[in-house]
Amino acid sequence: MKTDVILDGNAVCLFPLEISHTETLYEALKSPEVWEYTWRKVESLEDIKEIVSAAISSKKKGLHLPFLIKDKITGKVVGSTRIGDIDHVNKNVEIGWTWIAPEYWGTKVNTECKFLLLQYCFEEMKVNRVQFSVSGQNFRSQKAVERIGAVKEGTFRKHRVKADGTIHDNVFYSIIDTEWSTVKQQLICLLEKKY
C-alpha cells in the first residue's frame, strides 16, 4: 500500500500527515467546537500529538492513511482526515477522523475532501465498500454524509463512551462500488455550486 499519497483538488490538497505537523494542526483544531461530538478530549498540544502519533503508527501497520488538509488558496492548514480501518482482504475501508477548523464548516473543504478520498478508495484502491461512522448526537455531520449520497445502514446503540463519561450511539453509513459513479456525479455537482 502506498503511504506517500497526495490528493490534489481545486480548493484543498491532502498531504500525508507527519509528526512535524502537530503544532500547525493544533492551531487549526484547538477550538472546543471541533471536538464536541467526538470520543476524544482535546485541550492541549499534547492531546493532538497523541492523535497524530497514533495515526502515524497505524499508517506504518498498513491500517490507516492519515492526511493533513491544506487550503490551496491561502496555504493554511485547516484540519485532518483519513482513510482508516483498511481491510485488504474484504476490500473495505472507513473514511473519517475528519476534523476541520470551524471557520471552514459549510464551505467546499469537507465536500472536496470526501470527493478526493472516495475517488482514491474506489478508483485506486479498488475497494468494495467505504464506511462512515458518526456520533448519534452529531446531526450536522450526519446530514453532511447523507448529502454526499451515503446510505444509512443503522445505529449501534450506546457504542462509544466519551472522555467525560457520556455515552453516544454511533450511526453507520456506506457507499459501495456500484454506487460510486452516481455519488461521484452528485459530488461534482455539489462542488460546482457556489458556497
Side-chain angles (χ1 to χ4, degrees):
M1 181 179 77
K2 285 180 68 175
T3 58
D4 59 348
V5 176
I6 296 173
L7 303 177
D8 196 18
N10 293 320
V12 297
C13 190
L14 307 183
F15 292 93
L17 182 65
E18 301 294 342
I19 199 72
S20 61
H21 298 138
T22 302
E23 285 186 37
T24 310
L25 193 59
Y26 175 67
E27 285 305 312
L29 301 178
K30 63 184 178 183
S31 169
E33 291 175 277
V34 174
W35 308 100
E36 183 178 4
Y37 298 111
T38 71
W39 331 122
R40 294 161 177 81
K41 186 174 183 180
V42 176
E43 298 177 329
S44 68
L45 179 61
E46 192 57 38
D47 294 333
I48 289 287
K49 187 175 182 182
E50 286 178 24
I51 289 170
V52 172
S53 296
I56 291 167
S57 175
S58 291
K59 179 168 85 169
K60 288 177 182 172
K61 295 174 186 170
L63 300 173
H64 288 225
L65 280 177
F67 295 94
L68 189 73
I69 306 166
K70 276 194 182 179
D71 179 325
K72 285 186 75 169
I73 295 168
T74 65
K76 185 177 175 183
V77 169
V78 300
S80 66
T81 189
R82 72 179 91 157
I83 299 167
D85 293 343
I86 299 170
D87 180 345
H88 298 281
V89 174
N90 296 301
K91 297 185 178 182
N92 292 318
V93 299
E94 181 167 336
I95 289 176
W97 301 267
T98 303
W99 305 298
I100 297 171
E103 61 265 33
Y104 287 86
W105 294 356
T107 70
K108 291 185 180 188
V109 167
N110 190 42
T111 305
E112 190 167 57
C113 284
K114 295 300 185 281
F115 174 78
L116 293 169
L117 294 167
L118 285 163
Q119 185 174 44
Y120 186 76
C121 288
F122 286 116
E123 297 179 15
E124 299 298 324
M125 296 178 75
K126 306 290 186 194
V127 301
N128 295 325
R129 178 179 185 276
V130 173
Q131 171 178 292
F132 303 86
S133 63
V134 183
S135 165
Q137 295 181 354
N138 192 344
F139 300 113
R140 182 179 49 81
S141 289
Q142 289 177 47
K143 285 180 185 175
V145 172
E146 290 167 7
R147 184 172 163 264
I148 66 169
V151 174
K152 185 175 180 179
E153 295 182 324
T155 301
F156 285 19
R157 299 176 303 158
K158 292 191 171 187
H159 190 234
R160 298 283 187 194
V161 179
K162 286 185 63 169
D164 66 5
T166 59
I167 301 170
H168 284 216
D169 293 346
N170 206 9
V171 184
F172 285 85
Y173 296 84
S174 73
I175 298 169
I176 57 174
D177 54 356
T178 54
E179 298 164 343
W180 170 234
S181 62
T182 302
V183 170
K184 184 176 185 176
Q185 288 310 307
Q186 166 90 0
L187 282 164
I188 289 169
C189 289
L190 288 171
L191 289 167
E192 287 173 350
K193 285 183 179 179
K194 286 191 176 181
Y195 276 67

Coordinates of all heavy atoms in Angstrom, one line a residue, residues 120-177:
Y120 N -10.1 8.1 -4.6 CA -8.9 7.3 -4.3 C -9.3 5.9 -3.9 O -8.8 4.9 -4.4 CB -8.0 8.0 -3.3 CG -6.7 7.2 -3.2 CD1 -5.7 7.3 -4.1 CD2 -6.5 6.4 -2.1 CE1 -4.5 6.6 -4.0 CE2 -5.3 5.7 -2.0 CZ -4.3 5.8 -2.9 OH -3.1 5.1 -2.8
C121 N -10.3 5.8 -3.0 CA -10.7 4.5 -2.5 C -11.2 3.6 -3.6 O -10.9 2.4 -3.8 CB -11.7 4.6 -1.4 SG -11.1 5.3 0.2
F122 N -12.2 4.2 -4.4 CA -12.8 3.3 -5.4 C -12.0 3.2 -6.7 O -12.0 2.1 -7.3 CB -14.2 3.9 -5.7 CG -15.2 3.7 -4.7 CD1 -15.8 4.8 -4.0 CD2 -15.6 2.4 -4.3 CE1 -16.7 4.5 -3.0 CE2 -16.5 2.2 -3.3 CZ -17.1 3.2 -2.6
E123 N -11.3 4.2 -7.1 CA -10.6 4.1 -8.4 C -9.1 3.7 -8.3 O -8.6 3.2 -9.3 CB -10.7 5.5 -9.1 CG -12.1 5.9 -9.4 CD -12.3 7.2 -10.0 OE1 -11.3 7.8 -10.5 OE2 -13.5 7.7 -10.0
E124 N -8.5 3.9 -7.1 CA -7.1 3.4 -7.0 C -7.0 2.2 -6.1 O -6.3 1.2 -6.5 CB -6.2 4.6 -6.4 CG -6.2 5.8 -7.3 CD -5.6 5.6 -8.6 OE1 -4.6 4.8 -8.7 OE2 -6.0 6.2 -9.6
M125 N -7.6 2.2 -4.9 CA -7.6 1.1 -4.0 C -8.5 0.0 -4.5 O -8.4 -1.2 -4.0 CB -7.9 1.5 -2.6 CG -6.9 2.5 -2.0 SD -7.4 3.0 -0.3 CE -7.0 1.6 0.6
K126 N -9.5 0.3 -5.3 CA -10.5 -0.7 -5.8 C -11.2 -1.4 -4.7 O -11.4 -2.6 -4.7 CB -9.8 -1.7 -6.7 CG -9.0 -1.2 -7.8 CD -9.8 -0.5 -8.9 CE -9.0 -0.1 -10.1 NZ -9.7 0.8 -11.0
V127 N -11.7 -0.6 -3.7 CA -12.5 -1.2 -2.6 C -13.9 -1.5 -3.0 O -14.4 -0.9 -4.0 CB -12.5 -0.2 -1.4 CG1 -11.1 0.0 -0.9 CG2 -13.2 1.1 -1.6
N128 N -14.5 -2.4 -2.3 CA -15.9 -2.7 -2.5 C -16.9 -1.8 -1.7 O -18.0 -1.5 -2.1 CB -16.2 -4.1 -2.0 CG -15.5 -5.2 -2.8 OD1 -15.3 -5.0 -4.0 ND2 -15.0 -6.2 -2.2
R129 N -16.3 -1.3 -0.6 CA -17.2 -0.6 0.3 C -16.4 0.5 1.1 O -15.3 0.2 1.6 CB -17.9 -1.6 1.3 CG -18.7 -1.0 2.4 CD -19.3 -2.1 3.2 NE -20.3 -1.6 4.2 CZ -19.9 -1.1 5.4 NH1 -18.7 -1.1 5.8 NH2 -20.9 -0.7 6.2
V130 N -17.0 1.7 1.3 CA -16.5 2.7 2.1 C -17.5 3.0 3.2 O -18.7 3.2 2.9 CB -16.2 4.0 1.4 CG1 -15.8 5.1 2.3 CG2 -15.1 3.8 0.3
Q131 N -17.1 3.0 4.4 CA -17.9 3.2 5.6 C -17.7 4.5 6.2 O -16.6 5.0 6.2 CB -17.7 2.1 6.6 CG -18.3 2.2 8.0 CD -18.0 1.1 8.9 OE1 -18.4 0.0 8.6 NE2 -17.2 1.3 9.9
F132 N -18.7 5.1 6.8 CA -18.6 6.3 7.6 C -19.3 6.0 9.0 O -20.4 5.4 9.0 CB -19.3 7.5 7.0 CG -18.9 7.8 5.6 CD1 -19.4 7.1 4.5 CD2 -17.9 8.8 5.3 CE1 -19.0 7.4 3.2 CE2 -17.5 9.1 4.1 CZ -18.0 8.4 3.0
S133 N -18.8 6.5 10.1 CA -19.5 6.4 11.3 C -19.5 7.8 12.0 O -18.5 8.5 12.0 CB -18.8 5.4 12.3 OG -17.5 5.7 12.6
V134 N -20.7 8.1 12.5 CA -20.9 9.4 13.1 C -21.6 9.3 14.4 O -22.6 8.5 14.6 CB -21.8 10.3 12.1 CG1 -22.0 11.7 12.6 CG2 -21.2 10.3 10.7
S135 N -21.3 10.2 15.3 CA -21.9 10.2 16.6 C -23.4 10.4 16.4 O -23.8 11.2 15.6 CB -21.4 11.3 17.5 OG -22.2 11.6 18.6
G136 N -24.2 9.7 17.2 CA -25.7 9.8 17.1 C -26.2 11.2 17.5 O -27.3 11.6 17.1
Q137 N -25.3 12.0 18.2 CA -25.7 13.4 18.6 C -25.2 14.4 17.5 O -25.6 15.6 17.6 CB -25.1 13.7 19.9 CG -25.7 12.9 21.0 CD -25.1 13.2 22.4 OE1 -24.2 14.0 22.5 NE2 -25.7 12.6 23.4
N138 N -24.4 14.0 16.6 CA -23.8 15.0 15.7 C -24.6 15.0 14.4 O -24.3 14.4 13.3 CB -22.3 14.6 15.3 CG -21.6 15.7 14.6 OD1 -22.2 16.6 14.1 ND2 -20.3 15.6 14.6
F139 N -25.7 15.8 14.5 CA -26.7 15.8 13.3 C -26.1 16.6 12.1 O -26.4 16.3 11.0 CB -28.0 16.5 13.8 CG -28.7 15.7 14.9 CD1 -28.8 16.3 16.2 CD2 -29.1 14.4 14.7 CE1 -29.4 15.5 17.2 CE2 -29.8 13.7 15.7 CZ -29.9 14.3 17.0
R140 N -25.2 17.5 12.4 CA -24.6 18.3 11.3 C -23.7 17.3 10.4 O -23.8 17.3 9.2 CB -23.7 19.4 11.9 CG -23.0 20.2 10.8 CD -22.2 21.4 11.4 NE -21.3 20.9 12.5 CZ -20.1 20.3 12.3 NH1 -19.7 20.1 11.0 NH2 -19.4 19.9 13.3
S141 N -22.9 16.5 11.1 CA -22.1 15.5 10.3 C -23.0 14.4 9.7 O -22.6 14.0 8.6 CB -21.1 14.8 11.3 OG -20.1 15.8 11.6
Q142 N -24.0 14.0 10.3 CA -24.9 13.0 9.7 C -25.5 13.6 8.4 O -25.5 12.9 7.4 CB -26.1 12.6 10.6 CG -25.6 11.8 11.8 CD -26.7 11.5 12.8 OE1 -27.8 11.1 12.4 NE2 -26.4 11.6 14.1
K143 N -26.0 14.9 8.4 CA -26.5 15.5 7.2 C -25.5 15.6 6.1 O -25.8 15.4 5.0 CB -27.1 16.9 7.6 CG -28.4 16.8 8.3 CD -28.9 18.2 8.6 CE -30.2 18.1 9.5 NZ -30.7 19.4 9.9
A144 N -24.2 15.9 6.5 CA -23.1 16.1 5.6 C -22.9 14.7 4.8 O -22.7 14.7 3.6 CB -21.9 16.6 6.2
V145 N -22.9 13.6 5.6 CA -22.6 12.3 5.0 C -23.8 11.9 4.1 O -23.6 11.4 3.0 CB -22.3 11.3 6.1 CG1 -22.3 9.9 5.5 CG2 -21.0 11.6 6.8
E146 N -25.0 12.2 4.5 CA -26.2 11.9 3.7 C -26.2 12.7 2.5 O -26.6 12.2 1.4 CB -27.5 12.1 4.6 CG -27.6 11.1 5.7 CD -28.7 11.5 6.7 OE1 -29.4 12.5 6.5 OE2 -28.8 10.7 7.7
R147 N -25.8 14.0 2.6 CA -25.8 14.9 1.4 C -24.9 14.4 0.3 O -25.2 14.7 -0.9 CB -25.3 16.3 1.9 CG -25.3 17.4 0.9 CD -25.0 18.7 1.7 NE -24.6 19.7 0.7 CZ -23.3 20.0 0.4 NH1 -22.3 19.4 1.0 NH2 -23.1 20.9 -0.4
I148 N -23.8 13.7 0.6 CA -22.9 13.2 -0.5 C -23.4 11.9 -1.1 O -22.8 11.4 -2.0 CB -21.5 13.1 0.0 CG1 -21.3 12.0 1.1 CG2 -20.9 14.4 0.5 CD1 -19.9 11.7 1.4
G149 N -24.5 11.3 -0.5 CA -25.0 10.1 -1.1 C -24.8 8.8 -0.4 O -25.1 7.7 -0.9
A150 N -24.3 8.9 0.9 CA -24.0 7.7 1.6 C -25.4 7.1 2.1 O -26.3 7.9 2.4 CB -23.1 7.9 2.8
V151 N -25.5 5.8 2.2 CA -26.7 5.1 2.7 C -26.6 4.8 4.2 O -25.6 4.2 4.6 CB -26.9 3.8 1.9 CG1 -28.1 3.0 2.4 CG2 -27.1 4.1 0.4
K152 N -27.6 5.2 4.9 CA -27.6 4.9 6.3 C -27.9 3.5 6.5 O -28.9 2.9 6.0 CB -28.7 5.8 7.0 CG -28.7 5.7 8.5 CD -29.7 6.6 9.1 CE -29.8 6.5 10.6 NZ -30.7 7.5 11.2
E153 N -27.0 2.8 7.3 CA -27.2 1.3 7.5 C -27.8 1.0 8.8 O -28.4 0.0 9.0 CB -25.8 0.6 7.3 CG -25.2 0.7 5.9 CD -23.9 0.0 5.8 OE1 -23.1 0.0 6.8 OE2 -23.7 -0.5 4.7
G154 N -27.6 1.9 9.8 CA -28.1 1.6 11.1 C -27.4 2.3 12.2 O -26.4 3.0 12.0
T155 N -27.8 2.0 13.4 CA -27.3 2.7 14.6 C -26.8 1.6 15.6 O -27.5 0.7 15.9 CB -28.4 3.6 15.3 OG1 -28.8 4.5 14.3 CG2 -27.8 4.3 16.5
F156 N -25.6 1.8 16.0 CA -25.0 1.0 17.1 C -25.4 1.7 18.4 O -24.8 2.8 18.6 CB -23.5 0.8 17.0 CG -23.1 -0.2 16.0 CD1 -23.9 -0.6 14.9 CD2 -21.8 -0.8 16.0 CE1 -23.5 -1.5 14.0 CE2 -21.4 -1.7 15.1 CZ -22.3 -2.1 14.0
R157 N -26.3 1.2 19.2 CA -26.7 1.9 20.4 C -25.7 1.8 21.5 O -25.0 0.8 21.7 CB -28.1 1.4 20.9 CG -29.1 1.6 19.8 CD -30.5 1.0 20.2 NE -30.3 -0.5 20.4 CZ -31.2 -1.2 21.2 NH1 -32.2 -0.6 21.7 NH2 -31.0 -2.5 21.3
K158 N -25.5 3.0 22.2 CA -24.5 3.0 23.3 C -23.2 2.5 22.9 O -22.6 1.7 23.6 CB -25.1 2.3 24.6 CG -26.2 3.0 25.2 CD -26.6 2.4 26.5 CE -27.6 3.3 27.3 NZ -27.8 2.8 28.6
H159 N -22.7 2.9 21.8 CA -21.5 2.3 21.2 C -20.2 3.0 21.6 O -19.1 2.3 21.6 CB -21.6 2.4 19.7 CG -20.6 1.6 18.9 ND1 -19.8 2.2 18.0 CD2 -20.2 0.3 19.0 CE1 -19.0 1.3 17.5 NE2 -19.2 0.2 18.1
R160 N -20.2 4.2 22.0 CA -19.0 5.0 22.4 C -19.1 5.7 23.7 O -20.2 6.3 24.0 CB -18.6 6.0 21.3 CG -18.4 5.4 20.0 CD -17.0 4.8 19.9 NE -16.7 4.4 18.5 CZ -15.7 3.7 18.2 NH1 -14.9 3.2 19.1 NH2 -15.5 3.4 16.9
V161 N -18.1 5.6 24.5 CA -18.1 6.4 25.8 C -17.1 7.5 25.6 O -15.9 7.3 25.3 CB -17.6 5.5 27.0 CG1 -17.6 6.3 28.3 CG2 -18.6 4.3 27.1
K162 N -17.6 8.7 25.8 CA -16.7 9.9 25.6 C -15.8 10.0 26.8 O -16.0 9.4 27.9 CB -17.6 11.2 25.5 CG -18.2 11.3 24.2 CD -19.0 12.6 24.1 CE -18.0 13.8 24.2 NZ -18.6 15.1 23.8
A163 N -14.8 10.9 26.7 CA -13.8 11.2 27.8 C -14.5 11.7 29.0 O -14.1 11.4 30.2 CB -12.8 12.1 27.3
D164 N -15.7 12.4 28.9 CA -16.4 12.9 30.1 C -17.4 11.8 30.6 O -18.1 12.1 31.6 CB -17.1 14.2 29.7 CG -18.3 14.0 28.7 OD1 -18.6 12.8 28.3 OD2 -18.8 15.0 28.3
G165 N -17.4 10.6 30.1 CA -18.2 9.6 30.6 C -19.6 9.4 30.0 O -20.3 8.5 30.2
T166 N -20.0 10.4 29.1 CA -21.3 10.3 28.5 C -21.2 9.3 27.4 O -20.1 9.0 26.8 CB -21.7 11.7 27.8 OG1 -20.8 12.1 26.9 CG2 -22.0 12.7 28.9
I167 N -22.3 8.7 27.1 CA -22.4 7.6 26.1 C -23.2 8.0 24.9 O -24.2 8.6 24.9 CB -23.1 6.3 26.7 CG1 -22.3 5.9 28.0 CG2 -23.1 5.2 25.8 CD1 -23.0 4.9 28.9
H168 N -22.6 7.7 23.7 CA -23.2 8.1 22.4 C -23.6 6.8 21.6 O -22.8 5.8 21.6 CB -22.2 8.8 21.6 CG -22.0 10.3 22.0 ND1 -21.8 11.3 21.1 CD2 -22.0 10.8 23.2 CE1 -21.7 12.4 21.8 NE2 -21.8 12.2 23.0
D169 N -24.6 6.9 20.9 CA -24.9 6.0 19.8 C -23.9 6.3 18.7 O -23.4 7.4 18.6 CB -26.3 6.1 19.3 CG -27.4 5.7 20.3 OD1 -27.0 5.1 21.3 OD2 -28.6 6.1 20.1
N170 N -23.7 5.4 17.8 CA -22.9 5.6 16.6 C -23.7 5.2 15.3 O -24.2 4.0 15.3 CB -21.6 4.7 16.7 CG -20.4 5.2 16.0 OD1 -20.5 6.3 15.5 ND2 -19.4 4.4 15.9
V171 N -23.8 6.1 14.4 CA -24.6 5.9 13.2 C -23.7 5.5 12.1 O -22.7 6.2 11.8 CB -25.5 7.1 12.9 CG1 -26.4 6.9 11.7 CG2 -26.3 7.6 14.1
F172 N -24.0 4.4 11.4 CA -23.2 3.9 10.3 C -23.8 4.1 8.9 O -25.0 3.9 8.8 CB -22.8 2.4 10.5 CG -21.8 2.2 11.6 CD1 -22.2 2.1 12.9 CD2 -20.5 2.1 11.3 CE1 -21.3 1.9 13.9 CE2 -19.6 1.9 12.3 CZ -20.0 1.8 13.6
Y173 N -22.9 4.6 8.0 CA -23.3 4.8 6.6 C -22.3 4.1 5.7 O -21.2 3.8 6.1 CB -23.2 6.3 6.3 CG -24.2 7.2 7.0 CD1 -23.9 7.6 8.3 CD2 -25.4 7.5 6.5 CE1 -24.8 8.5 9.0 CE2 -26.3 8.4 7.1 CZ -26.0 8.8 8.4 OH -26.8 9.7 9.1
S174 N -22.7 3.9 4.4 CA -21.7 3.3 3.5 C -22.0 3.8 2.1 O -23.2 4.2 1.8 CB -21.7 1.8 3.5 OG -22.9 1.3 2.9
I175 N -21.0 3.7 1.3 CA -21.1 3.8 -0.2 C -20.4 2.6 -0.7 O -19.3 2.2 -0.3 CB -20.5 5.1 -0.7 CG1 -21.2 6.3 -0.2 CG2 -20.5 5.1 -2.3 CD1 -20.4 7.6 -0.4
I176 N -21.1 1.9 -1.7 CA -20.4 0.7 -2.3 C -20.0 1.0 -3.7 O -20.5 2.0 -4.3 CB -21.4 -0.6 -2.2 CG1 -22.7 -0.3 -2.9 CG2 -21.5 -1.0 -0.7 CD1 -23.6 -1.6 -2.9
D177 N -19.2 0.1 -4.2 CA -18.6 0.4 -5.5 C -19.6 0.6 -6.7 O -19.4 1.4 -7.5 CB -17.6 -0.8 -5.9 CG -18.2 -2.2 -5.8 OD1 -19.3 -2.3 -5.5 OD2 -17.4 -3.1 -6.2

